[in-house]
Amino acid sequence: MKNQAKSFRKDISKKHPAASSEMASENFVPRLISWNLTFKCNLRCAHCYLNALEREGKGELNTDEGKMLIDQIAEVSKPILILSGGEPLLRKDIFELVKYGTEKGLRMTIGTNGTLITDDVARQLKLSGVPRIAVSLDSSIPERHDEFRGVKGSWKRTVEGIKACRRNDIDVQINTTVTQQNYDEIDDIMALAEKLEASNFHLFFLVPTGRGKKVEDVSPVMYEKMIKGVLEKSSKYKLNVRPTCAPQFMRIAKLMKLDVKHWMRGCIAGLSYCRIYPTGEVTPCPYLPIKLGDIREKRFRSIWFNSEIFRTLRDFNNLKGKCGICEYRDVCGGCRARAYGLTSDFLDVCGCLHEPTELKGDYLVEEPWCTYQPKVLGGEKV
């Protein structure tokens, strides 16, 4: 049994160079980076991984430090830089930072709740160089969205913000988080997204971190069914659809014989993606709260290429359980953040970062929500 699994890993490494432990870290460059600009937010979302508050947090990167970060990122690659929060539009220097990043060759986008976008804000964002904005919309029913986001009237203001973006020729991506409450209305939300002239629809699945630790999640079976259903529904709409924090969608899409060439690997944490915390720390993704370095102390290049945890994530042979021997590990990989969150007995609802030497869970174990069993080898299940 062990020999079969070992042989299977070896065969995978031969077929997929990225899985080899000898693969140099320099072969991985960031293509997508999320920067949480601030802890400050005007909503009270039940699932917030950052536990955003009404006021900005102590020690947030200031404008000059933000420009320094952009300079350091541009030394490594020219990724898409998503400015999020909290609510990024509460930063007074948002337009200045967007313009600076654009001038440095980065593709600047905004991840927002949309409630603060007026025609004037949309025009300034467009002039600063923003081609696309990702807006969170969690229901086609105003009251349900408002309850999830914690503020009455937020649905109406979000929809008006989306319309303002479209009037000012800014592309819109709508992000929807799947919960028990909206599970049965995803089709209606997709229809609303198309009506609002959005071009992209990203379906987010909960990861147990920050305030999301306390939200009742859908079951693994519902999760799998939802991914398949959304991929099937995508042909009904002009929207570009992608499940997020759901790496199994690549395996499901392949089994459905869909064209996956325009999609990246399911879990890209540490491979081509990372997150910058408001106070300058780098983590593999927003939902994997492990501090890998601080850009106030080390250059981004050094953190990206030399972090031991980044190197561990880039060697697929380190994956444990069925993820480590699955024939889809090169295109899926399982959600490393969900693995970490669900193997931790530490209930952290404050959104704090964990030191690499004091981990609360195991980010390498098999995906807890995956119902798939790897293929049978030699008459035995691996």
Side-chain angles (χ1 to χ4, degrees):
M1 171 65 181
K2 289 183 178 179
N3 289 336
Q4 289 172 348
K6 184 176 180 181
S7 176
F8 185 52
R9 288 193 197 85
K10 186 176 180 181
D11 184 56
I12 285 284
S13 295
K14 286 180 179 179
K15 292 179 180 178
H16 307 287
S20 172
S21 60
E22 298 179 358
M23 174 62 79
S25 183
E26 286 73 10
N27 285 283
F28 297 90
V29 295
R31 297 172 57 187
L32 185 68
I33 296 176
S34 292
W35 174 15
N36 296 130
L37 281 179
T38 181
F39 294 104
K40 189 176 183 181
C41 190
N42 59 323
L43 299 186
R44 299 291 170 270
C45 305
H47 65 305
C48 182
Y49 61 80
L50 203 63
N51 194 23
L53 304 170
E54 292 181 10
R55 58 188 181 280
E56 70 180 45
K58 183 179 179 180
E60 292 180 3
L61 298 180
N62 60 33
T63 305
D64 289 339
E65 290 172 323
K67 290 180 178 179
M68 176 187 71
L69 169 63
I70 290 171
D71 288 340
Q72 292 184 17
I73 291 172
E75 289 177 354
V76 179
S77 65
K78 298 295 189 293
I80 296 172
L81 181 58
I82 306 168
L83 304 181
S84 64
E87 175 47 56
L89 294 177
L90 288 171
R91 284 274 302 230
K92 295 180 180 179
D93 58 358
I94 183 69
F95 306 117
E96 183 177 353
L97 290 171
V98 169
K99 184 178 180 182
Y100 189 81
T102 300
E103 291 172 347
K104 287 290 179 176
L106 276 61
R107 290 167 288 173
M108 306 295 288
T109 63
I110 305 287
T112 173
N113 59 47
T115 61
L116 302 177
I117 302 176
T118 62
D119 279 293
D120 182 56
V121 170
R123 278 193 293 270
Q124 291 187 68
L125 287 171
K126 184 69 175 180
L127 288 172
S128 301
V130 172
R132 174 182 296 174
I133 287 180
V135 181
S136 298
L137 187 64
D138 295 301
S139 180
S140 58
I141 303 169
E143 295 78 13
R144 186 174 288 177
H145 173 92
D146 291 356
E147 181 180 2
F148 190 57
R149 294 287 163 176
V151 175
K152 289 184 178 181
S154 58
W155 185 91
K156 182 178 179 181
R157 291 164 60 193
T158 294
V159 169
E160 289 303 316
I162 293 171
K163 291 178 179 178
C165 288
R166 296 304 300 127
R167 283 194 296 269
N168 290 276
D169 196 31
I170 294 179
D171 195 19
V172 173
Q173 170 182 305
I174 286 182
N175 294 341
T176 296
T177 299
V178 181
T179 64
Q180 291 277 8
Q181 288 69 38
N182 68 3
Y183 183 82
D184 294 326
E185 63 163 316
I186 299 302
D187 202 22
D188 294 334
I189 300 172
M190 292 174 71
L192 175 60
E194 187 161 276
K195 182 179 179 181
L196 292 172
E197 299 181 342
S199 61
N200 290 265
F201 180 79
H202 283 205
L203 190 66
F204 281 73
F205 289 81
L206 277 170
V207 179
T209 187
R211 291 202 290 258
K213 274 273 192 179
K214 298 191 293 184
V215 178
E216 184 180 1
D217 211 343
V218 297
S219 69
V221 173
M222 293 169 70
Y223 168 67
E224 188 97 357
K225 182 179 178 182
M226 174 60 70
I227 295 173
K228 185 175 181 180
V230 166
L231 291 175
E232 289 174 341
K233 290 183 178 77
S234 64
S235 61
K236 290 173 52 179
Y237 304 100
K238 298 177 182 177
L239 299 164
N240 296 314
V241 176
R242 188 188 194 280
T244 302
C245 301
Q248 296 92 326
F249 91 90
M250 286 292 284
R251 182 245 311 158
I252 294 170
K254 276 181 167 286
L255 290 172
M256 293 172 65
K257 301 190 183 305
L258 300 179
D259 184 3
V260 299
K261 294 177 183 175
H262 58 293
W263 287 322
M264 293 183 284
R265 183 178 188 259
C267 182
I268 58 174
L271 309 184
S272 57
Y273 178 54
C274 69
R275 182 268 296 267
I276 313 296
Y277 204 61
T279 47
E281 292 87 353
V282 180
T283 74
C285 84
Y287 309 100
L288 188 50
I290 304 174
K291 176 182 175 180
L292 305 182
D294 188 330
I295 64 101
R296 284 171 166 148
E297 300 171 359
K298 291 182 180 180
R299 298 192 74 79
F300 177 76
R301 171 184 287 276
S302 177
I303 298 170
W304 177 264
F305 288 122
N306 299 322
S307 163
E308 185 61 34
I309 288 180
F310 273 152
R311 288 180 179 272
T312 300
L313 287 168
R314 292 164 191 168
D315 180 357
F316 304 162
N317 289 318
N318 289 318
L319 295 176
K320 300 176 182 179
K322 63 183 181 182
C323 282
I325 54 176
C326 183
E327 65 270 27
Y328 292 102
R329 73 175 186 172
D330 60 320
V331 296
C332 171
C335 178
R336 298 300 97 215
R338 191 171 291 113
Y340 184 76
L342 292 179
T343 53
S344 172
D345 293 327
F346 180 70
L347 181 61
D348 179 10
V349 296
C350 66
C352 296
L353 300 183
H354 303 163
E355 295 288 344
T357 54
E358 300 177 354
L359 299 184
K360 310 300 180 182
D362 190 343
Y363 62 92
L364 293 173
V365 299
E366 64 185 48
E367 160 69 77
W369 267 8
C370 183
T371 61
Y372 180 74
Q373 292 298 324
K375 287 181 177 179
V376 174
L377 296 178
E380 294 184 76
K381 286 188 176 181
V382 295

